[in-house]
Amino acid sequence: MHAFDVLGDPVRRRILELLADGEQAAGEVSAVVQAEFGITQPAVSQHLKVLRENGFARVRAEGTRRLYAVDPAPLREADQWLDHFRRFWTPHLSALATEIARGKRDRRREAE
């Protein structure tokens, strides 16, 4: 499965967002995702399995709990691929930053 196939699913993206905050038990991840997406625990487990099998998440056993964490390697690969396209949005973001700075400067001058 290609990285963007994995990341294309909103449930899997949300799981990665949760794991980005640090290692979490499968039950904790499942509770949040079930509440937000209205899916079952087995469905969340399937998403965790896809993330694990495609290298986006690591799992380790601690007693009866399964603790998941992000594995950054596939995310780096996706970032490297996206690097070819950054030129399309970087100048626009720089222009936006300039406009924001101008607006702040103008508001300061008006306040004086």
Side-chain angles (χ1 to χ4, degrees), residues 69-88:
V70 170
D71 187 334
L75 294 170
R76 276 192 224 106
E77 290 172 17
D79 185 57
Q80 287 173 346
W81 185 83
L82 285 169
D83 200 40
H84 298 288
F85 302 97
R86 287 192 209 292
R87 64 187 166 97
F88 293 112

Side-chain angles (χ1 to χ4, degrees), residues 19 22-27 48 52 57-70:
L19 298 178
E23 188 177 64
Q24 290 193 37
L48 285 167
R52 188 179 66 246
R58 295 185 305 259
V59 64
R60 70 179 180 88
E62 187 176 88
T64 59
R65 296 176 2 141
R66 298 292 173 260
L67 299 171
Y68 281 82
V70 170

Side-chain angles (χ1 to χ4, degrees), residues 18-34:
L18 293 169
L19 298 178
D21 292 334
E23 188 177 64
Q24 290 193 37
E28 295 167 354
V29 171
S30 185
V32 172
V33 172
Q34 284 179 271

Side-chain angles (χ1 to χ4, degrees), residues 84-96:
H84 298 288
F85 302 97
R86 287 192 209 292
R87 64 187 166 97
F88 293 112
W89 66 77
T90 301
H92 301 293
L93 293 177
S94 296
L96 176 61

